[in-house]
């Protein structure tokens, strides 16, 4: 059976999926990169872990930094040599990061 990574890779090469992605990312970039109003993000009051790949081309690392600025009780982890899927690209480091966050909070 096809796994999630293989499925996403196959879709990423599909011309219709690529066209849809370009439309979505164009809209997102026109809004400044965040799809949620900053006031709504700043209203989050629970401890929040923000994890981003340093080389993420879907959600730029600048968005992670902005979330960290807006959410009062936020923790951040920027994964080096990592794209959009830290939990798949670096599962051990991702799990350690989540574990530390949960234990601290």
């Amino acid at each position: 059976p096809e796994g999630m990574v293989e499925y996403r890779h196959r879709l990423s090469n599909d011309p219709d999926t690529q066209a849809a992605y370009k439309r979505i990312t164009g809209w997102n970039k026109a809004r400044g990169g965040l799809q949620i109003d900053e006031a709504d993000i700043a209203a989050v009051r629970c401890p929040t872990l923000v994890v981003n790949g340093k080389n993420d081309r879907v959600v730029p690392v600048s968005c992670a930094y902005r979330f960290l600025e807006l959410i009062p009780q936020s923790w951040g982890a920027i994964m080096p040599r990592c794209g959009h899927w830290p939990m798949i690209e670096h599962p051990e480091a991702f799990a350690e990061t989540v574990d530390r966050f949960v234990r601290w909070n």
Side-chain angles (χ1 to χ4, degrees):
E2 185 176 42
M4 178 60 78
V5 173
E6 293 82 11
Y7 170 74
R8 294 285 305 260
H9 183 264
R10 181 173 52 79
L11 282 181
S12 72
N13 289 309
D14 176 71
D16 291 336
T17 302
Q18 289 176 349
Y21 178 75
K22 285 181 183 177
R23 286 191 299 275
I24 291 168
T25 57
W27 171 82
N28 192 26
K29 286 178 184 176
R31 292 199 56 187
L34 296 176
Q35 297 180 18
I36 302 169
D37 289 336
E38 288 192 354
D40 292 333
I41 297 168
V44 173
R45 293 292 175 245
C46 62
T48 304
L49 175 62
V50 177
V51 180
N52 215 99
K54 187 174 183 180
N55 306 113
D56 191 334
R57 293 185 297 169
V58 177
V59 180
V61 73
S62 60
C63 291
Y65 287 125
R66 189 65 183 136
F67 270 72
L68 293 169
E69 291 170 353
L70 292 169
I71 301 172
Q73 296 186 63
S74 60
W75 291 64
I78 308 302
M79 301 271 184
R81 298 176 306 282
C82 185
H84 188 61
W85 290 1
M87 70 294 285
I88 294 172
E89 296 174 51
H90 300 287
E92 294 85 11
F94 180 81
E96 287 175 24
T97 300
V98 172
D99 185 58
R100 278 194 313 252
F101 172 76
V102 170
R103 289 176 190 272
W104 185 267
N105 290 288

